[in-house]
Amino acid sequence: MESNGSRQSTEDTKAAIEKSERSMTTKLSCCIRRKEEQFLDRTRHVRRFLDFLKAQPSKDWFLRFGSVGRSSPFTFVKRIGSQRGGSSPPDCAPVHGCRPLRVPFVRRINWEGLITYCKNWVKHPMNMALLVWLFFVAVGLFVLFLFMTGLLDHTIPKSSQRKRWTEITNQIVNALFTIMCIYQHPKLFHHLVLLCRWTSTDVAELRKVYSKNGAPRPNEWAHMMLVVLLLHTTCFSQYGLCGLYWGYSSDSRPTWPQILFIVLGIAAPVAAGIYAVYGPLGKKQESETDVESRQMAVAAAPDTDLLKTRNKSVVITKPEWVGGLFDCWDDPTVASLSVFCTLCVFGWNMERLGFGNMYVHIVTFLLLCVAPLLVFSVTAINIDDDIARYTTGITGILLCFCGLLYGGFWRIQMRKRFKLPANPFCCGYPAMTDFMQWLFCWSCSLAQEVRTGNLYDIEEDSFHQKGGEDESSKVHPLPREGGMGPLMESSSLAHSHSNPHTGKSNSKPDSNGTATNCVRINIDEAACGGEKDDSMTPPLQPLVQLRTP
């Protein structure tokens, strides 16, 4: 009995020792973990703060935090209180079971994908022009900032000179903003016309511009109209500010209208952009509405198979330019119109090829070639410095000449969409070749584009060619050559030798006793001696026999 009691006490002692060792290990691990956290707290804080500066904020956590039917702000407090009142606080939990701190508004940026996207964005010709414009605007605003803060007082000590150069910079920056508004305004007017007209085709076109994924939205007309009116407000505010800078000198120019136009010109586009992205037009559409939109698109879309059957057209997989660049005399009419009516022919051809509205192209092309000369010439008149005046005037002339690049841009789009052959003449870059062709020989380039569009049919962003020939272009054998002639070979108009209503034959014996079949082909039946048929009777397969022995 004594031996059994001693054994049991020994086992209890061992169990107590093991329990105390486990508790000490747990406490030690918790202490080590706390020390490590304290040691790395500053590093983590700096790293997370830098990540917050670099990353794009996410709004999903905020929407979940305040959404209806989910946790309220007090739920977060209750969760913390329950954790504190529990038996195992998070600080003393095992190391592997502890959840690390997660900041929901920090995202990792895929720098490779971002760099690739930026490269592709810069390669677009319109984006290149936008970057050039932004560069000059940034330089002008930076110079104005230096003058306003007095950082150039030591460089330009005289106050009169500083005022003069401030006015020169203001005039140049005003011209840059004005020219950009003029370039964008034709498209905005076109969108306003589409909103006022509001047909099914207009709705589809506007959805591609203002609605996310092109899906319909409830009350979308009002939302689109608000965005378009805000953008119009931006343009008209800039026009008003431009009138103040051109109509008044720096000393007599009123201050409050100037501040009003500047505030409207800045606030209106910012409000339009925020409303378009985060408003009803930028939200994801529910599945039911997506299904409805697809049904509407299918209902509005034409039956392509039926069109192909009717037109009997085949897709041209490898189209070619019709003639060379200088083969203008292949079509003298197109060549002469391309020289004397360049803008009208260009707009008509762009709309025919499916690149937008004809009038928008005409007005935009006209403004690109005329507006820089007018804007920069008037700006140069208001500049009180000879060098700056001549530089501004020459810049306007060069920009007018560069307006021809607008045609080169759309030639590139035409070549890429319809898979036309490229010409790597300029340094191996086909796009540069297209620009140079329009810049130095716009009439020849336009004539070649029109001739190419005349040769093919344009359907579904591709060139088509009719598979069958017209009846008028076929060569038929004459009756004396053993043929039936063009009339008797017309299967779509010829009728059978028997009347489909009466079942009687229309053949009559001639003077020699032989029967001659009468074929009715879009002529009066009295000429053949037959009975008059209903014009809506569908034609039957012809059985033509000249003479029956």
Side-chain angles (χ1 to χ4, degrees):
M1 293 294 293
E2 294 178 358
S3 61
N4 294 334
S6 62
R7 290 178 181 177
Q8 186 176 1
S9 61
T10 305
E11 291 176 357
D12 294 340
T13 304
K14 291 182 179 179
I17 293 172
E18 291 176 358
K19 185 177 180 180
S20 63
E21 288 178 354
R22 285 196 300 269
S23 62
M24 290 296 293
T25 304
T26 304
K27 292 180 180 180
L28 183 61
S29 62
C30 289
C31 293
I32 293 174
R33 183 171 178 271
R34 290 172 185 171
K35 293 295 183 181
E36 290 177 351
E37 289 179 353
Q38 292 177 1
F39 180 75
L40 299 176
D41 181 66
R42 185 175 181 181
T43 306
R44 290 182 180 179
H45 177 73
V46 174
R47 180 175 58 82
R48 291 186 183 279
F49 183 73
L50 294 177
D51 289 344
F52 172 75
L53 291 178
K54 294 186 295 184
Q56 178 184 3
S58 173
K59 63 178 182 178
D60 296 337
W61 69 278
F62 180 76
L63 296 176
R64 290 196 303 267
F65 187 72
S67 59
V68 179
R70 296 195 179 187
S71 60
S72 63
F74 299 99
T75 307
F76 179 73
V77 180
K78 293 178 182 178
R79 185 171 64 249
I80 294 178
S82 63
Q83 291 177 354
R84 290 180 180 177
S87 58
S88 60
D91 290 340
C92 296
V95 179
H96 298 287
C98 237
R99 295 178 61 185
L101 178 64
R102 298 184 64 185
V103 183
F105 50 82
V106 174
R107 292 181 180 177
R108 293 183 179 179
I109 299 178
N110 184 6
W111 292 105
E112 295 182 359
L114 181 61
I115 293 173
T116 304
Y117 174 80
C118 292
K119 289 182 179 179
N120 295 332
W121 186 85
V122 171
K123 290 179 181 179
H124 198 278
M126 291 295 183
N127 297 333
M128 290 183 182
L130 180 61
L131 286 177
V132 174
W133 178 82
L134 287 174
F135 172 76
F136 285 104
V137 169
V139 171
L141 294 177
F142 180 70
V143 173
L144 286 177
F145 174 78
L146 294 179
F147 279 116
M148 293 173 63
T149 55
L151 297 176
L152 295 178
D153 292 347
H154 297 287
T155 305
I156 306 176
K158 292 184 179 181
S159 177
S160 58
Q161 292 183 354
R162 290 197 299 269
K163 289 182 179 179
R164 183 165 60 90
W165 282 105
T166 302
E167 179 64 17
I168 291 172
T169 309
N170 279 325
Q171 292 286 346
I172 294 174
V173 173
N174 172 67
L176 291 173
F177 279 106
T178 303
I179 202 70
M180 180 57 67
C181 291
I182 290 175
Y183 289 163
Q184 298 297 325
H185 221 166
K187 188 181 295 184
L188 294 177
F189 271 117
H190 176 60
H191 293 168
L192 185 61
V193 171
L194 296 183
L195 284 169
C196 296
R197 193 168 53 185
W198 198 250
T199 61
S200 58
T201 307
D202 303 335
V203 173
E205 184 176 351
L206 289 170
R207 284 172 182 168
K208 293 179 182 179
V209 179
Y210 297 103
S211 182
K212 186 176 182 180
N213 300 328
R217 301 287 193 276
N219 301 322
E220 57 184 353
W221 182 88
H223 300 309
M224 292 180 184
M225 179 63 76
L226 177 60
V227 174
V228 172
L229 290 179
L230 287 173
L231 295 177
H232 276 283
T233 303
T234 304
C235 295
F236 285 115
S237 299
Q238 179 57 40
Y239 299 155
L241 185 63
C242 182
L244 291 177
Y245 275 98
W246 288 355
Y248 296 89
S249 62
S250 59
D251 298 329
S252 62
R253 188 177 300 140
T255 304
W256 286 108
Q258 184 178 353
I259 295 175
L260 176 63
F261 288 137
I262 291 176
V263 171
L264 286 177
I266 296 175
V270 172
I274 293 175
Y275 190 81
V277 174
Y278 296 102
L281 296 174
K283 292 181 179 179
K284 293 183 179 179
Q285 197 68 9
E286 297 179 358
S287 58
E288 297 180 358
T289 312
D290 291 339
V291 173
E292 183 181 355
S293 64
R294 286 195 296 268
Q295 292 176 356
M296 293 175 60
V298 171
D303 192 350
T304 55
D305 295 337
L306 182 60
L307 289 176
K308 290 181 180 179
T309 305
R310 288 178 179 176
N311 296 333
K312 297 180 181 180
S313 59
V314 294
V315 180
I316 306 299
T317 57
K318 293 183 179 181
E320 297 287 339
W321 296 101
V322 177
L325 182 65
F326 300 106
D327 294 338
C328 298
W329 296 111
D330 293 348
D331 195 336
T333 303
V334 172
S336 58
L337 290 175
S338 300
V339 174
F340 299 104
C341 301
T342 303
L343 302 179
C344 298
V345 175
F346 174 79
W348 168 79
N349 193 47
M350 288 295 103
E351 185 174 11
R352 178 181 61 163
L353 296 175
F355 288 113
N357 184 264
M358 174 179 65
Y359 301 103
V360 174
H361 281 291
I362 292 175
V363 176
T364 304
F365 205 170
L366 177 64
L367 292 176
L368 284 169
C369 296
V370 175
L373 180 62
L374 298 177
V375 172
F376 283 92
S377 297
V378 178
T379 302
I381 295 173
N382 290 273
I383 291 177
D384 189 14
D385 185 80
D386 294 337
I387 298 177
R389 183 187 301 113
Y390 292 135
T391 303
T392 305
I394 293 173
T395 302
I397 297 173
L398 292 178
L399 287 177
C400 289
F401 184 65
C402 292
L404 295 172
L405 297 177
Y406 184 74
F409 169 77
W410 288 108
R411 182 182 177 90
I412 295 172
Q413 306 306 314
M414 175 183 177
R415 175 174 55 81
K416 290 182 177 179
R417 174 179 291 186
F418 300 110
K419 300 178 178 60
L420 291 165
N423 183 10
F425 178 77
C426 294
C427 305
Y429 295 100
M432 185 64 66
T433 305
D434 295 331
F435 280 126
M436 293 299 105
Q437 287 177 351
W438 258 92
L439 194 62
F440 296 105
C441 193
W442 72 89
S443 59
C444 300
S445 301
L446 180 59
Q448 187 184 32
E449 295 169 12
V450 173
R451 292 197 306 267
T452 304
N454 290 338
L455 181 63
Y456 304 104
D457 292 335
I458 298 94
E459 296 178 9
E460 299 178 358
D461 296 340
S462 59
F463 281 145
H464 290 245
Q465 190 173 12
K466 292 184 178 180
E469 298 178 352
D470 296 333
E471 294 295 330
S472 59
S473 61
K474 289 185 178 179
V475 180
H476 303 276
L478 298 175
R480 65 174 180 269
E481 298 175 348
M484 296 179 292
L487 293 179
M488 294 185 180
E489 288 183 354
S490 179
S491 61
S492 62
L493 298 175
H495 287 267
S496 175
H497 64 284
S498 60
N499 194 318
H501 295 285
T502 60
K504 297 180 181 180
S505 175
N506 288 332
S507 61
K508 287 188 176 183
D510 57 2
S511 59
N512 297 329
T514 59
T516 304
N517 291 330
C518 177
V519 181
R520 294 177 292 107
I521 304 175
N522 243 359
I523 57 175
D524 192 2
E525 293 190 1
C528 297
E531 298 178 0
K532 189 173 182 180
D533 250 344
D534 188 8
S535 60
M536 298 301 294
T537 303
L540 302 177
Q541 189 69 22
L543 298 175
V544 180
Q545 185 177 2
L546 293 178
R547 290 186 180 277
T548 304

